[in-house]
Amino acid sequence: MKTQNKKGIPLRVLCLEDSTQDAELTKEMLSDAGYELQFDVIEKEKEYVTCLESGNYDIILSDYSLPGFNGMQALEIAMKICPEIPFISISGTAGEEIAVEMLKKGAVDYIIKDRIKRLPFAVEGALKKKEAKAATRKAEEALKTSESKYSDLYENAPDMFISMEAVTGTIIKCNKTVTEITNYSKDEITGLSIFELYHPDCLREAKKAFTQFNTTGELRNVELQMRKKDGSKIDISTNATAVRDESGRILYSRSVLRDITERKRAEEKIRLLAHTIKSISEIISITDLEDKFTFVNQALSDKYGYSYDEIIGQHVNILRSPNNPPELLEDVLKHSRKDSWKGELQNLTKDGREFPISLKTSKIVNENGDILGLFGIAEDITERKRVVQELIDAKEKAEEMSRLKSNFLANMSHEIRTPLSGILGFSDIIQDENNLEAVKKMAEIINDSGNRLLNSLNQILDLSSLESNTKKVNYKLIDINYIIKETIVLFSVTADKKNLKLKIEFDINTLMAYTDTDLISKTLNNLINNAIIYTNRGSVTVRAKEEIINEKECIVINVIDTGIGIEKKNLEIIFDEFRQVSEGWGRSFEGNGLGLSLCKKYMNLIGGSISVTSELGKGSDFRLVIPKNILKDDKDIKTQEKSSVETTQPDSLQIKSGIKPKILYIEDDPECIKLVKYIVTNKYDIAAVTSGAEGIEKTKNNEYALILLDINLSKGISGLEVLSEIRKIPYYKDIPVIALTAFAMAGDEEEFRAGGCEDYISKPFKKEMLLEKISKALNG
Ligand code: ADP
């Protein structure tokens, strides 16, 4: 017979028996059946309890009649201490009733001693039962643990579990997650209709899903929106299965609701990005670590002529023109992988057409910083390049034209000034020195015409230098009143001729400003000139005063006339270039329409402004605002400058008594020589030569007190070169040299002064000016 005990492990039997013979018999029976045994025989209750408490037994075999207690009591004790150990009652005396009672109380078997042979079978059966019981207990325990584990899972699952009645939609049960997400308590949720948990925005879909569930008994990934207690919305995905009765009728649903708000947001973002990339007109691509395309947008396909499928998987070089320097392409990849690259490349379309692109790349990295690929955004810059090239060409052309224009103007200026010197100079002299009234009148006309021509020339040249931004502002501390006085004097004769009163009104004697004398006197010149031209009777007044304008100290000059006035509609346009109120063949006044626009530009240059108020038939009032630009520290200089201004007034020639100072005039134009000689000959001993070489020669052998020097000496060396030779002669190191030249463009004077000339006179010149400058130079 097969025994239950494992090999080497004896069956531990506790035998309650007061008869040694019976105990031996029992032991023999079991040994014969093949059991290895640990067989302990006891008969007293106390011993029995001790053995049971040791827990060392696999089975208890008990006689019924024992000394001091019986089998029933032994069974009861065993059931208390170790109910899992099988208990077999062996009795020769107890009747059937006791047997039944014992079996009821937990004995596994009951054997009558007469039929002791059955014992091995009974033991085996008992052991089997014990094993099965142990297994069941284990399973029950496992089930218990697993149940508690699942209830934990149910309650704390990341998803929401809801059970509801199928027909009514009433919620029966939900897990903790539902309460956490919706902020409802379990009590609040239980009994609610499921529709109260859906957001009103999706009620229609929710009802549809509900009907579908009641028809099919399940829902798979139905996306709806739930309403939290505070009314806010979350996106959910619902899966539901039905619990049915025996007849198949759906009783209730077990639903799993997953919060997919984040996923939805992410999807929305991705969708938005996808749409953006699709709609963007820039060319967008993503390449992998082998520089092969993994994504391109529609703009790229359109531009290069490759379909999406054709280009995906291709190396980026498929788009690059072979005309790109290889180092450049390497550079792009190297820098893009490192961080980013930005620049221009030549690219190729599928049909071989080359075009320039502006490309920006950057690496794509994941959250761990690993490079996933490269992102590129490019733009076809053919058009931009063309426009830039056109602009460069236009700029170069404009610069060339401007250079030509400047050259032309400089030449024209020189060529007009030289003969004008003769015209103006001699007509002036004739007026002074001829007694015949008719001839005087003619000389006056020649002189007026020449001056008008000279004025136009100066205005055109000024406009040109203002337009090319070469006009420089020469800031000095000056007395504006003095400039006004000096300017107005020039118009006294003209005003007299028209019978107009010329008036000056000053608030205070000196009005100092840190500004440009030349620009202010030109502006005043224009305004007073216009005022006289456009006034037939009455007066022209120049008024000057200090004013604070926009918290700045300013000098305000008004040039007021009582002339024809200007129509309102023309007040704006008169400051535009070339504009005259009367234009066309029928224009009634002289002028080139440049004067006021130049005035406006001069004022802008010194940070000032010009404006006008006028009434037709009554007169005009031109107002200049000139910033004083004087800081507190300049107040001292103010007085110094004032006195220095005053001393610059022309003073009488100081010729040393008796001896006329010797002057050398180097000039290639014989008419100019004649004119200058005529002007100075009474006061100076003048010698003239017509070439630079002669001039140098003369200085070697003579000691002149002053040199008048033309700069353009036609052939051979220029006036400045002549001067540098003359300066080498020790006597001429500090002898004053005055440039007397028809070069009168912006910057010319500065250049000649830098070349060693002490002073500068531009042709044509006034005889008074020539005499004054000579005198000033000679008197130091
Ligand atoms: P122009 O050299 O032709 O005088 P301006 O620019 O100096 O050019 O003046 C533009 C126009 O403004 C003149 O043609 C004239 O019609 C008008 N104008 C200028 N000053 C006065 C003034 N004081 N009175 C009336 N009209 C004037």
Side-chain angles (χ1 to χ4, degrees):
M1 181 179 166
K2 221 169 151 237
T3 57
Q4 286 294 308
N5 59 328
K6 289 173 199 140
K7 220 175 165 204
I9 303 173
L11 179 68
R12 297 169 303 170
V13 180
L14 180 60
C15 183
L16 266 172
E17 182 59 77
D18 55 349
S19 154
T20 321
Q21 215 181 337
D22 282 355
E24 270 308 309
L25 181 68
T26 308
K27 188 178 177 184
E28 248 178 61
M29 290 288 305
L30 291 176
S31 294
D32 290 350
Y35 285 104
E36 275 177 49
L37 293 174
Q38 172 201 310
F39 201 84
D40 297 336
V41 184
I42 48 154
E43 53 181 67
K44 302 255 170 56
E45 187 181 346
K46 208 175 162 197
E47 258 180 297
Y48 174 61
V49 170
T50 312
C51 286
L52 288 185
E53 282 173 348
S54 76
N56 282 334
Y57 296 94
D58 298 317
I59 193 158
I60 302 165
L61 304 177
S62 172
D63 188 9
Y64 192 78
S65 332
L66 294 161
F69 72 128
N70 63 30
M72 187 66 84
Q73 288 165 319
L75 173 64
E76 281 166 0
I77 292 169
M79 284 302 124
K80 255 186 214 156
I81 297 175
C82 44
E84 72 281 1
I85 301 177
F87 187 101
I88 297 175
S89 176
I90 305 170
S91 172
T93 52
E96 201 172 316
E97 240 171 73
I98 290 180
V100 172
E101 184 65 18
M102 288 189 82
L103 289 173
K104 264 191 196 166
K105 285 196 168 164
V108 237
D109 213 340
Y110 186 90
I111 296 169
I112 303 168
K113 280 188 178 169
D114 290 348
R115 300 183 63 190
I116 195 74
K117 277 187 186 157
R118 211 172 62 80
L119 180 65
F121 299 101
V123 167
E124 196 187 351
L127 291 173
K128 273 187 185 160
K129 261 188 200 162
K130 181 189 165 193
E131 234 168 59
K133 229 170 149 186
T136 311
R137 204 172 45 244
K138 228 175 174 179
E140 277 170 3
E141 265 165 24
L143 196 64
K144 241 189 209 164
T145 338
S146 121
E147 260 177 12
S148 81
K149 208 155 83 190
Y150 280 116
S151 112
D152 194 46
L153 273 181
Y154 173 82
E155 282 299 324
N156 299 310
D159 291 334
M160 294 175 275
F161 295 141
I162 291 180
S163 303
M164 65 163 198
E165 263 175 31
V167 183
T168 59
T170 307
I171 297 168
I172 305 164
K173 194 177 156 195
C174 74
N175 68 349
K176 204 168 97 203
T177 316
V178 177
T179 64
E180 282 168 357
I181 293 180
T182 61
N183 290 330
Y184 283 111
S185 70
K186 273 196 183 178
D187 285 348
E188 283 172 322
I189 286 190
T190 321
L192 271 188
S193 159
I194 189 74
F195 293 110
E196 288 179 67
L197 272 194
Y198 286 120
H199 197 273
D201 286 358
C202 75
L203 264 187
R204 250 167 64 122
E205 289 87 342
K207 281 184 181 156
K208 220 168 112 189
F210 186 75
T211 315
Q212 186 194 330
F213 173 77
N214 275 316
T215 321
T216 63
E218 69 167 5
L219 289 179
R220 289 273 163 257
N221 301 323
V222 179
E223 292 187 0
L224 296 167
Q225 282 132 21
M226 224 172 155
R227 187 180 58 85
K228 294 213 250 180
K229 196 176 176 183
D230 63 4
S232 61
K233 183 158 65 172
I234 55 168
D235 290 296
I236 52 160
S237 162
T238 306
N239 281 285
T241 49
V243 176
R244 299 171 189 262
D245 65 9
E246 309 81 57
S247 66
R249 194 168 58 92
I250 300 173
L251 294 177
Y252 60 92
S253 85
R254 282 203 198 107
S255 311
V256 181
L257 284 63
R258 175 163 294 180
D259 180 355
I260 54 165
T261 313
E262 279 308 312
R263 198 194 81 199
K264 278 275 185 189
R265 273 192 203 143
E267 279 174 6
E268 193 49 47
K269 242 190 223 170
I270 291 170
R271 230 192 328 273
L272 183 71
L273 278 175
H275 283 307
T276 311
I277 289 176
K278 213 173 165 192
S279 348
I280 215 164
S281 61
E282 276 81 3
I283 299 158
I284 286 177
S285 64
I286 295 173
T287 47
D288 62 15
L289 295 178
E290 289 171 355
D291 305 315
K292 290 180 176 162
F293 289 109
T294 53
F295 172 83
V296 299
N297 72 342
Q298 191 58 42
L300 187 141
S301 293
D302 293 347
K303 180 59 66 184
Y304 291 87
Y306 289 103
S307 71
Y308 186 85
D309 291 340
E310 276 176 316
I311 195 99
I312 295 301
Q314 295 287 346
H315 193 274
V316 277
N317 281 351
I318 193 176
L319 303 185
R320 306 282 184 250
S321 153
N323 293 327
N324 288 303
E327 323 73 79
L328 178 64
L329 296 181
E330 275 168 29
D331 224 42
V332 180
L333 295 176
K334 201 172 90 192
H335 281 94
S336 307
R337 281 209 189 92
K338 222 166 144 201
D339 189 21
S340 60
W341 186 87
K342 193 176 158 190
E344 289 181 11
L345 287 177
Q346 285 296 326
N347 270 12
L348 267 190
T349 59
K350 188 179 174 185
D351 55 16
R353 204 168 36 81
E354 193 169 305
F355 67 100
I357 58 160
S358 152
L359 174 67
K360 270 188 212 162
T361 64
S362 53
K363 62 181 179 185
I364 306 170
V365 287
N366 66 11
E367 51 284 353
N368 303 323
D370 308 321
I371 303 183
L372 304 178
L374 301 179
F375 174 80
I377 177 160
E379 197 189 347
D380 178 355
I381 51 167
T382 313
E383 190 54 20
R384 198 199 300 166
K385 285 226 149 202
R386 191 184 59 74
V387 172
V388 169
Q389 193 51 50
E390 271 178 16
L391 284 176
I392 292 171
D393 291 349
K395 184 172 171 270
E396 279 171 2
K397 206 168 166 188
E399 280 169 358
E400 176 65 2
M401 287 305 289
S402 158
R403 201 182 53 77
L404 289 175
K405 190 178 101 185
S406 298
N407 263 352
F408 170 76
L409 285 176
N411 289 341
M412 286 302 292
S413 159
H414 189 272
E415 288 316 298
I416 294 170
R417 281 175 197 284
T418 308
L420 264 182
S421 311
I423 296 169
L424 288 175
F426 283 115
S427 56
D428 215 13
I429 291 165
I430 294 170
Q431 280 183 78
D432 281 356
E433 299 187 6
N434 197 288
N435 292 328
L436 270 176
E437 233 1 84
V439 176
K440 257 185 182 266
K441 191 75 207 160
M442 281 188 270
E444 188 188 324
I445 294 168
I446 295 171
N447 202 268
D448 283 353
S449 311
N451 271 322
R452 206 172 135 188
L453 189 59
L454 180 63
N455 190 42
S456 290
L457 174 70
N458 284 335
Q459 286 190 333
I460 292 166
L461 295 178
D462 258 1
L463 182 71
S464 157
S465 70
L466 281 165
E467 276 181 349
S468 60
N469 289 326
T470 50
K471 187 111 192 145
K472 289 198 181 81
V473 184
N474 198 1
Y475 283 104
K476 270 189 192 140
L477 198 59
I478 56 167
D479 178 6
I480 300 277
N481 283 355
Y482 176 71
I483 295 177
I484 295 173
K485 276 187 248 165
E486 268 210 322
T487 314
I488 214 156
V489 163
L490 303 174
F491 293 93
S492 53
V493 178
T494 336
D496 273 355
K497 280 185 197 159
K498 286 188 82 174
N499 232 343
L500 298 175
K501 269 193 202 145
L502 259 186
K503 295 191 275 186
I504 299 180
E505 291 175 8
F506 292 152
D507 260 12
I508 44 176
N509 278 344
T510 53
L511 284 175
M512 303 304 291
Y514 196 70
T515 187
D516 187 305
T517 314
D518 188 43
L519 297 179
I520 291 182
S521 75
K522 277 179 172 164
T523 308
L524 283 173
N525 231 298
N526 267 319
L527 295 183
I528 301 170
N529 192 36
N530 278 349
I532 292 174
I533 292 173
Y534 298 106
T535 305
N536 295 323
R537 47 175 186 277
S539 62
V540 172
T541 309
V542 182
R543 185 181 296 155
K545 59 177 188 276
E546 283 182 329
E547 244 181 65
I548 305 282
I549 298 172
N550 295 333
E551 295 173 11
K552 255 187 178 171
E553 280 189 283
C554 295
I555 291 170
V556 176
I557 305 176
N558 291 77
V559 179
I560 308 155
D561 65 57
T562 54
I564 62 168
I566 304 163
E567 251 187 290
K568 228 188 178 115
K569 67 175 168 68
N570 291 324
L571 286 178
E572 283 299 314
I573 62 163
I574 54 171
F575 293 104
D576 295 346
E577 278 161 27
F578 318 119
R579 295 307 292 256
Q580 289 180 312
V581 171
S582 64
E583 289 173 355
W585 299 112
R587 71 197 187 106
S588 40
F589 292 93
E590 62 180 53
N592 51 30
L594 280 180
L596 289 179
S597 78
L598 282 173
C599 290
K600 191 173 163 186
K601 287 185 162 88
Y602 297 151
M603 285 297 112
N604 285 346
L605 269 183
I606 57 164
S609 64
I610 182 167
S611 57
V612 62
T613 51
S614 184
E615 208 176 318
L616 211 55
K618 292 207 169 151
S620 308
D621 178 355
F622 283 85
R623 171 181 151 103
L624 301 179
V625 175
I626 300 161
K628 289 187 72 168
N629 297 328
I630 294 178
L631 306 171
K632 280 202 176 68
D633 298 351
D634 292 332
K635 295 271 164 91
D636 295 339
I637 311 169
K638 183 170 158 177
T639 46
Q640 281 172 23
E641 285 291 322
K642 186 190 146 200
S643 55
S644 77
V645 166
E646 279 164 355
T647 55
T648 57
Q649 298 207 28
D651 47 14
S652 61
L653 294 173
Q654 294 169 8
I655 301 162
K656 283 172 200 147
S657 56
I659 317 144
K660 284 186 191 168
K662 281 172 73 178
I663 294 180
L664 176 65
Y665 183 24
I666 308 172
E667 167 68 76
D668 66 330
D669 180 33
E671 311 312 326
C672 266
I673 293 179
K674 275 183 212 153
L675 178 65
V676 170
K677 272 189 171 174
Y678 196 90
I679 295 169
V680 306
T681 208
N682 283 341
K683 291 175 177 162
Y684 303 101
D685 179 3
I686 185 162
V689 290
T690 55
S691 75
E694 282 173 90
I696 295 166
E697 203 49 46
K698 273 260 188 218
T699 49
K700 279 180 186 161
N701 305 316
N702 296 281
E703 289 188 344
Y704 295 102
L706 180 134
I707 297 172
L708 294 172
L709 179 66
D710 182 22
I711 301 293
N712 180 5
L713 294 168
S714 305
K715 32 192 191 291
I717 52 176
S718 76
L720 286 184
E721 286 164 328
V722 171
L723 178 57
S724 95
E725 284 304 310
I726 292 174
R727 288 279 188 229
K728 286 179 191 161
I729 304 165
Y731 169 81
Y732 286 100
K733 222 172 136 256
D734 296 318
I735 290 296
V737 173
I738 300 175
L740 186 57
T741 171
F743 285 129
M745 302 295 281
D748 284 348
E749 178 177 347
E750 289 73 18
E751 194 183 333
F752 305 146
R753 284 184 188 272
C757 296
E758 178 159 325
D759 211 340
Y760 162 89
I761 301 170
S762 67
K763 293 175 189 172
F765 51 86
K766 291 258 180 221
K767 65 177 191 287
E768 294 80 9
M769 178 191 265
L770 175 64
L771 289 171
E772 185 203 327
K773 291 221 170 194
I774 293 173
S775 160
K776 202 175 143 197
L778 286 174
N779 294 319

